[in-house]
Amino acid sequence: MPIHLGKKNKREKQFTSDIIRDFEKLKGNRVVWDRHYDEIAELVSPVDFVFQVTHHPGEKRTNNVYDNTAILGAQRYAAFMDSIQTPRNQKWHGLQSSNPELNKEKSVKEFYDELRDVMFRQRYKPRANFSSQMFEIWRGLGMFGTAGMIINDFPGFGTQYKTIHLSQLYIVENFTGLIDTVYVSMKMTGRQALNRFGKKNVPKKILDSIEKDVWEEHEFVHFIHPNGNYDPERVGPEFMKYESLIIAVDEKMVVHEGGFNSFPLPVARADTSTDETYGRSAAMMVLPAIKMLNQMKKSDIRMTHRTVDPTLLMQDDGAVKAIDLRPGRIITGGLDRNGRPTIVPLDNRARLDINEAKMQMERDDINRAFLVDLYLMQIDREMTATEVLHRAKEQSTILSSFTGRQESEFLGPLIEREMEILELSGNMPEMPPVMMESEGEWETTYTNPISQAQKADEALGSQNMMSILFEASNFMPEILDNVNPDIFAKSLHEASGAKEMLLNSDDTVQQIRGERAKAMQEQQQVDNLGAESGAQLNQAKVMEMAANQ
């Protein structure tokens, strides 16, 4: 329904009240999840220990952390996922037409290559902040199993990415199981609200608070959902595919209204149960091991302390007047008349080696859950090309279901949102005539390391086939007649994810081959003429020698 910003009538007040009521219900339904999240955050990422606990700025939050295996594991998990799905140093996705016939046109392929390059330049601008926020997404998935990012387009500033902390994010699925509705809880001071929404849209109570307490915070909720009035033929935010409202919670007043034609806040999830909306993370799977390891480390510290600085035993006969354990000191009465010590350390018989072995078992379980073994495998540079292909195949087998979900639920909507921003900003490259004449939407193709790893079977099979054929050609040369070099080259190009411009068009290939054949023919003619001239010269010399004789 149309909203009149900064004003309230009875109908609009009821509308905003319903939104806030649904928001509060979602918060109540997530109490058990929030308790679970805090348990994880306390031991895996203390800075995120904020779901049900309020901390003062700068307060120490590591009181119960004795072992940092899980903390480092979460960081490595994020680094690994970032490197195989969204690596900064690689064009990790491409674009193509959804019309297979158009994809055969070289001009269409080059258009989508150029469009991809424009998209990556916008995405990785320093002010866009994509890389750091993407790392937070992967870290959030490893710890909590759910993470969301909003993609904004600010006039004069450009595209900006911001990860929404899970303590602020509440999600709703549609009937297909996809996230299409989100509530984002925000707190702003009166001055921040004034700067963002303008004086005429901010409730009077919040404006008055600026004079009383400039640091007083007020709660707002950002509500994004499918727009019931969506009409692609009409212009205006009220007719866009998704409606966006920001509401001052206490005043139940809409302070900002907008719209999007693509979902602006894609949500990534790990494993989900059939009756759960939020994902379950790697940290959740090994939370018992994380708790156990911290308790074992705590016990290990106590036992080590007792072993290194043990309790002393001595006779109760007053022979020893004082004990001074500082270096170089003399303890009077420390030996009896027979030279035996009167002070001995308590032998607590602590088996630190057993405890260390048990702790290592727990560390191994935690590291496997956070994919640390794959992370370490990835940074091992001492591998042959064949070993790289085999390891890539192993990784793709382990991670295919997880990465497939991220592509469909998170990366796909993210790219769709970026495409909308490019269209609105006028930064799209010029479309070739063949695309203007034919209908066809675009689709995403993934060329990141994990996608290439999933194609490793094809590359490995081609490599094995060619090795066998070349070896067999030593005694059966005709066997190579079965190989189509053009198809072989194109299949390797597709598996590699390289740019289309690296390949010549079919017409260019034919032209090059024609010129090569012509040059070879001309060279053959020159060689033949040279041979004939040589034969004639030799015959003349023979005749001359015969005449002289």
Side-chain angles (χ1 to χ4, degrees):
M1 63 176 289
I3 301 294
H4 302 288
L5 299 182
K7 301 179 181 179
K8 291 190 295 184
N9 58 40
K10 186 175 181 180
R11 185 182 176 198
E12 291 172 2
K13 184 176 181 180
Q14 181 60 45
F15 178 67
T16 54
S17 296
D18 291 344
I19 293 174
I20 294 171
R21 180 200 62 209
D22 293 342
F23 171 59
E24 294 296 337
K25 185 175 181 180
L26 285 173
K27 289 173 66 176
N29 291 341
R30 211 179 74 175
V31 168
V32 176
W33 282 106
D34 287 345
R35 190 180 305 122
H36 200 169
Y37 295 147
D38 267 339
E39 279 191 75
I40 294 168
E42 185 179 20
L43 299 177
V44 181
S45 179
V47 295
D48 297 298
F49 186 22
V50 294
F51 289 87
Q52 292 185 323
V53 181
T54 301
H55 297 277
H56 295 290
E59 181 181 348
K60 184 171 65 175
R61 304 182 190 180
T62 55
N63 291 332
N64 294 323
V65 177
Y66 293 91
D67 187 274
N68 61 4
T69 300
I71 295 175
L72 296 178
Q75 295 290 329
R76 289 178 172 179
Y77 176 93
F80 176 68
M81 296 308 301
D82 190 52
S83 68
I84 65 170
Q85 288 206 274
T86 55
R88 181 184 177 89
N89 61 347
Q90 182 179 337
K91 301 290 177 61
W92 46 267
H93 74 83
L95 301 167
Q96 67 179 18
S97 172
S98 56
N99 184 337
E101 294 302 318
L102 283 179
N103 287 325
K104 296 178 182 179
E105 298 287 338
K106 187 171 180 62
S107 61
V108 173
K109 294 180 180 179
E110 290 179 348
F111 165 77
Y112 281 115
D113 280 347
E114 184 180 356
L115 177 57
R116 177 186 68 172
D117 291 345
V118 171
M119 186 174 288
F120 271 83
R121 282 197 297 271
Q122 296 291 329
R123 180 184 293 151
Y124 286 101
K125 284 183 176 180
R127 291 192 300 178
N129 205 26
F130 178 80
S131 294
S132 63
Q133 298 305 298
M134 199 67 238
F135 185 86
E136 290 301 314
I137 288 290
W138 299 127
R139 198 171 70 93
L141 272 183
M143 292 189 301
F144 306 125
T146 305
M149 175 191 288
I150 190 165
I151 303 103
N152 288 311
D153 181 32
F154 295 114
F157 188 87
T159 307
Q160 188 184 45
Y161 303 83
K162 180 174 175 56
T163 300
I164 305 299
H165 196 274
L166 188 55
S167 63
Q168 302 173 270
L169 179 64
Y170 300 85
I171 59 178
V172 180
E173 292 180 338
N174 62 16
F175 72 97
T176 66
L178 297 177
I179 306 300
D180 69 347
T181 301
V182 293
Y183 297 77
V184 180
S185 175
M186 304 181 295
K187 288 189 176 181
M188 287 184 277
T189 65
R191 178 174 294 177
Q192 290 171 332
L194 178 63
N195 291 339
R196 179 167 181 180
F197 306 121
K199 186 175 182 180
K200 66 178 182 179
N201 298 322
V202 178
K204 185 177 183 302
K205 181 179 178 181
I206 295 179
L207 292 175
D208 293 341
S209 71
I210 299 176
E211 301 297 330
K212 299 177 182 178
D213 183 359
V214 71
W215 303 114
E216 182 182 355
E217 291 187 327
H218 307 272
E219 186 178 8
F220 298 82
V221 60
H222 189 181
F223 175 53
I224 303 171
H225 71 121
N227 187 2
N229 297 321
Y230 171 57
D231 187 348
E233 302 298 326
R234 302 177 69 178
V235 178
E238 64 270 27
F239 303 115
M240 289 184 171
K241 194 171 183 179
Y242 294 94
E243 184 179 33
S244 169
L245 301 173
I246 299 180
I247 302 169
V249 173
D250 291 340
E251 292 74 21
K252 296 181 173 59
M253 181 183 296
V254 176
V255 296
H256 177 78
E257 179 185 17
F260 306 95
N261 281 322
S262 57
F263 196 54
L265 206 160
V267 176
R269 294 181 293 176
D271 299 329
T272 55
S273 175
T274 54
D275 59 345
E276 294 177 344
T277 302
Y278 294 89
R280 288 186 174 269
S281 66
M284 291 179 181
M285 298 301 106
V286 290
L287 183 58
I290 295 172
K291 290 182 175 180
M292 175 70 75
L293 179 58
N294 274 273
Q295 290 301 315
M296 293 173 73
K297 187 63 175 288
K298 185 177 179 179
S299 298
D300 186 78
I301 293 171
R302 289 198 302 264
M303 289 189 295
T304 302
H305 193 183
R306 290 171 182 169
T307 302
V308 175
D309 188 10
T311 300
L312 299 179
L313 303 178
M314 57 183 295
Q315 297 179 357
D316 185 18
D317 58 3
V320 180
K321 300 186 180 300
I323 299 177
D324 189 345
L325 299 179
R326 291 177 296 174
R329 301 297 173 174
I330 297 175
I331 302 177
T332 303
L335 296 175
D336 62 14
R337 294 179 179 178
N338 298 319
R340 292 174 299 187
T342 59
I343 304 172
V344 294
L346 172 64
D347 184 6
N348 56 28
R349 301 183 184 277
R351 291 295 306 273
L352 296 177
D353 56 332
I354 294 178
N355 193 52
E356 179 60 34
K358 293 290 186 180
M359 286 195 297
Q360 188 58 48
M361 292 172 61
E362 301 297 337
R363 290 191 183 104
D364 291 342
D365 287 343
I366 295 168
N367 284 332
R368 278 192 294 268
F370 283 119
L371 307 178
V372 173
D373 51 339
L374 296 182
Y375 169 82
L376 296 175
M377 180 193 302
Q378 186 186 46
I379 63 177
D380 181 6
R381 302 299 181 189
E382 297 180 1
M383 292 189 296
T384 65
T386 303
E387 288 175 333
V388 170
L389 288 174
H390 281 294
R391 290 194 177 186
K393 180 181 176 181
E394 293 173 2
Q395 289 185 10
S396 66
T397 302
I398 296 171
L399 300 170
S400 58
S401 61
F402 177 86
T403 56
R405 179 167 196 156
Q406 304 320 313
E407 290 173 359
S408 62
E409 283 197 2
F410 180 74
L411 295 177
L414 181 145
I415 295 169
E416 184 180 354
R417 170 65 177 148
E418 292 174 326
M419 185 71 81
E420 179 192 3
I421 293 174
L422 279 180
E423 291 176 352
L424 293 175
S425 63
N427 289 322
M428 297 278 286
E430 185 177 355
M431 192 176 294
V434 68
M435 290 185 65
M436 294 189 228
E437 297 169 1
S438 305
E439 294 184 1
E441 296 182 353
W442 60 273
E443 59 187 17
T444 305
T445 59
Y446 292 95
T447 56
N448 50 25
I450 190 63
S451 297
Q452 292 177 355
Q454 290 168 352
K455 297 177 182 177
D457 275 343
E458 180 181 343
L460 190 59
S462 298
Q463 177 180 313
N464 292 337
M465 183 192 78
M466 293 306 298
S467 297
I468 294 171
L469 290 180
F470 275 119
E471 184 176 348
S473 68
N474 292 326
F475 53 89
M476 289 187 296
E478 65 276 6
I479 198 172
L480 293 179
D481 297 340
N482 293 282
V483 178
N484 186 321
D486 292 339
I487 294 178
F488 180 71
K490 290 177 180 179
S491 66
L492 289 181
H493 170 265
E494 183 179 352
S496 70
K499 284 188 174 184
E500 180 63 26
M501 65 176 60
L502 294 179
L503 282 185
N504 288 322
S505 66
D506 292 341
D507 292 340
T508 303
V509 171
Q510 294 303 322
Q511 180 182 351
I512 292 172
R513 288 174 178 172
E515 293 174 352
R516 183 187 300 120
K518 182 180 178 181
M520 291 176 64
Q521 185 178 5
E522 292 175 350
Q523 183 62 43
Q524 184 65 38
Q525 292 174 352
V526 171
D527 293 342
N528 291 338
L529 288 174
E532 292 176 2
S533 299
Q536 293 174 359
L537 180 61
N538 290 336
Q539 186 178 3
K541 288 182 178 180
V542 170
M543 293 176 65
E544 182 181 357
M545 292 174 63
N548 291 333
Q549 291 176 355

